[in-house]
Structure formats: structure tokens, C-alpha cells
Amino acid sequence: MRALLLALSLPLLASQPDPAAPRRPIHTYSIVARDPVTGDLGVAVQSHWFSVGASVPWAEPGVGAVATQSFTDPSYGTLGLALMKAGQPAPEALKALLAADGDREVRQVAMVDAQGRATAHTGAKCIQAAGHEVGEGFTVEANLMDKATVWPAMARAFRAAPGDLADRLLAALRAAQAEGGDIRGQQSAAILVVKGKPSGQPWNDRLFDLRVEDHPDPLKELGRLIQLRRAYRLMDEGDGFVTAAKWPEAKAAYAAAARLAPGIWEMPFWQAVALASSGQRDEALPLFKRVFAAEPFWKRLVPRLAEVDQLPKDPALLKAIEAQ
């Protein structure tokens, strides 16, 4: 088996970029982790560098997660996932990639595989304060930090935080910032969480894929986007329950979404459309009234929806809706 894995690895390692090629100095703090309950895999990161989410975080459902930072080489993401997918544990995959990298001493890389085996590397030439901590099913890492206490604070916060994997990843980032964070300040942040087992529908396997490219308080903005993502997922669940005629479940999902995103009037509008389309007229009309009072332009959409069978072509119903 080991010989087979090595044979699979050789073409991947041969595709490593020239060590003399330009390098992107994305100094930052990050966390990679696997949720022991769900098996979900995730990466979260913040940096004083534009669009950190474009290079640092990598994850694949049922395979693993990677963070590549300091003088970043994105091939650690693609090749690390490929090696783990081929069957190599995260520690062996990282060891193989480092062995082929002449610039490994300026790299900081972390990986976790689908079995929760975590590993990290902080090169001797990473800018101080720099280091990492590997825990059970996760690793935290940072470089160019204000203090060497940043990554231990991240580990403590992740272990103690309640909630799902996204909540706990964000808690680790917030702990890093509270400890001083990047010596240069803040600029961008990202979170990527994928399912522990692939469903065969890749579009459904990315639970969170959010990036704050440039913001004075990227962690606050990332937290807002995470909440919005939860709200829209609840809307999708509600629509699924409507299709299955499970009205109590649909109403509960829609109500939960509205609580998470009270200022997004599109959510109650489509909830009202679903109710009206399924004969729930008396429950739909008050929702339409609230939406039209807040944002009157939604009223103009009602006849257009009826034209394409997204609302019943019932003149009495449409008149009642527009009267709201």
C-alpha cells in the first residue's frame, strides 16, 4: 500500500512550481479543523492582505482541509488534497510536499484529513512571531503576529467554543484578534466549510464559502455573512418542505430564517409566494403586506410571477395580494 501511495504521489510532486518563482507574502493566522460529530471539514483565516480567501483556504468533502500561508504556495492546497484523496494521511502528505519544496523554510502550512489527523509546519524563516499548535482534529497557525500568544489563544477558544464548526472556527479567529493578531492590522478574512461525506452533489457540499476581500473589520463582516448564509440555507430548507407539503416544518424554517435576517425583505416575500401558491392565502397576505410596506417595488413582481406560473393565475388571489 505504501508503495502504491508513493507511486501516486510522484506525478503530483513533480508538478510543484519552480521554487525560484515569485511568492505571495500572505502573513496571517488561520485554523483548519474537522468536526468530530458531523465530520465536516473547514478552514478559517484572517490577514492584513487583500483577498486572503483566494489563496490560503482549501477543502474537499470527504478528503480534508488545507491552509497555506506565510510566503504562500497555493499548490500545497491542490496537491495536499490530491494526496489525501489518494489515501495518504495528512501528516504524510505534508511531509512529501515539504520534501519537494526548496523554499519550505518560508512556508507555513496546515492540513487535516477526513479521519481528523492534523499536522502543521512553520518554517524557520517565517517572520516572527510565528508558530502553530496541533490539537485533536485541528491545528492553528500564525505568522507575523504581534505576540507569540496568538495561536495558543486560538486553540483554547476553539476547544471551548459551542456551536457548529463554523461557529468554532470564527471563535478561534476572534480570539487571535483579541490577543493582538497580525502586527499590521486587519484587511480580509474567509471561511470554507465542506461536508464530511460527499453527497454526489458538489453544489450542496459547500456549507460555507464566504470571503471578505477588503474591510476595516473583516471578522465582524465575516460573522454577519455567516449569519446570512445560515438564513438563506433555512430558506432553501423551507422551500424543500413546501415541495414535500410539510407545512409545519416549512413555516418553522422560514420563521428561523427571518429571525436571522430581519432586514432582508426578499425572504418573507418568497415565503408569502410559497404560501399563496399552496393555498395558504390567509397566512400569505399579512406577509405580503409587511414586505410591500417596507419595499413597495416587490408589488410590481406579483403579476410577472403569475405570468410564468410562479403564482396561481387566479385573478381574485392576485387582486388580494396587490391590495396589500
Side-chain angles (χ1 to χ4, degrees), residues 58-278:
W58 301 78
E60 184 174 341
V63 175
V66 180
T68 170
Q69 57 196 46
S70 186
F71 288 87
T72 302
D73 181 349
S75 72
Y76 275 92
T78 56
L79 299 182
L81 291 173
L83 290 173
M84 288 187 282
K85 192 170 186 176
Q88 289 204 26
E92 290 190 19
L94 179 55
K95 183 178 180 181
L97 294 176
L98 290 170
D101 184 1
D103 273 347
R104 54 187 168 271
E105 295 307 328
V106 299
R107 311 287 189 215
Q108 189 170 55
V109 187
M111 297 182 182
V112 64
D113 60 34
Q115 285 70 49
R117 295 169 294 203
T119 187
H121 162 80
T122 300
K125 293 184 180 179
C126 289
I127 301 174
Q128 298 299 309
H132 64 263
E133 180 176 332
V134 178
E136 187 174 351
F138 77 94
T139 173
V140 292
E141 45 284 334
N143 63 89
L144 196 59
M145 294 295 104
D146 187 41
K147 307 171 189 173
T149 53
V150 168
W151 53 96
M154 296 176 72
R156 290 193 300 271
F158 180 74
R159 290 187 178 102
D164 63 11
L165 186 57
D167 286 330
R168 299 176 68 203
L169 294 176
L170 185 58
L173 296 188
R174 287 171 170 162
Q177 195 56 41
E179 196 65 20
D182 189 322
I183 199 169
R184 303 163 301 171
Q186 303 179 77
Q187 185 170 1
S188 66
I191 187 168
L192 174 58
V193 178
V194 299
K195 289 182 179 179
K197 293 183 179 179
S199 66
Q201 298 177 321
W203 54 91
N204 286 327
D205 289 345
R206 288 202 164 204
L207 302 175
F208 294 89
D209 188 1
L210 303 170
R211 286 162 45 174
V212 179
E213 310 291 19
D214 182 34
H215 196 279
D217 192 346
L219 296 186
K220 181 178 180 181
E221 178 64 6
L222 187 62
R224 186 186 72 85
L225 294 178
I226 288 172
Q227 181 159 298
L228 272 182
R229 175 63 179 135
R230 294 189 197 281
Y232 278 98
R233 282 174 58 193
L234 284 164
M235 287 295 295
D236 291 341
E237 289 178 14
D239 292 343
F241 287 132
V242 168
T243 301
K246 296 181 178 180
W247 284 103
E249 293 88 345
K251 292 172 186 175
Y254 287 141
R259 286 194 297 272
L260 287 176
I264 307 295
W265 292 103
E266 187 166 12
M267 291 188 176
F269 176 79
W270 291 113
Q271 178 184 358
V273 168
L275 290 165
S277 299
S278 303

Side-chain angles (χ1 to χ4, degrees), residues 47-65:
S47 177
H48 189 281
W49 187 270
F50 177 72
S51 189
V52 69
S55 300
V56 171
W58 301 78
E60 184 174 341
V63 175

